[in-house]
Amino acid sequence: MVVIPTRTTSRDIEPLMRMRKAVFKNGRAKIVYVMNGWNRFKASRDFMEWFKGLAGDQTVATLPQSEAFVQAGAAGKSVVEFDRRGKAAKATLALVGTVREAAGFPKE
């Protein structure tokens, strides 16, 4: 299994496509795409709409754009340690569950 993180901007399309090509060239691994910095604005929505058609049956997960990631890093903590009840922490925990499920591991 391969986890491919990317941002949801037009500048990230080329490196994302190169990574997909490298993964597919070396086999047909199960992929979980992680869209970092996702937000409710048009650019993110348009990127997601385009990408979901490209991803096919592969898993696509999102992590929201959030100041909590920056604040947690500055505090030397994970976002879950920093604010377990916050939106960013909940999204991170959901992502962990998604990756575990895709890899065939039991839920935590």
Side-chain angles (χ1 to χ4, degrees):
M1 189 179 89
V2 179
V3 177
I4 301 178
T6 189
R7 301 276 299 178
T8 57
T9 70
S10 60
R11 292 186 311 182
D12 299 294
I13 292 172
E14 185 179 334
L16 173 60
M17 298 308 285
R18 282 195 315 262
M19 177 61 80
R20 281 174 46 89
K21 185 176 180 179
V23 169
F24 291 143
K25 181 179 178 181
N26 292 302
R28 187 76 177 152
K30 185 167 191 146
I31 300 173
V32 175
Y33 296 97
V34 180
M35 304 294 152
N36 288 312
W38 186 89
N39 61 48
R40 62 183 171 81
F41 299 110
K42 185 172 178 10
S44 279
R45 287 193 324 262
D46 288 350
F47 185 96
M48 288 293 286
E49 183 178 316
W50 165 77
F51 189 73
K52 282 186 177 182
L54 185 69
D57 64 347
Q58 301 288 350
T59 302
V60 179
T62 61
L63 283 176
Q65 183 174 325
S66 175
E67 181 67 17
F69 291 112
V70 176
Q71 291 175 0
K77 298 180 178 184
S78 74
V79 74
V80 175
E81 293 170 316
F82 184 73
D83 181 10
R84 188 168 190 87
R85 294 185 187 135
K87 181 179 178 182
K90 289 178 182 177
T92 300
L93 292 170
L95 172 62
V96 169
T98 297
V99 171
R100 287 181 64 87
E101 181 180 329
F105 293 119
K107 291 185 178 184
E108 287 187 329

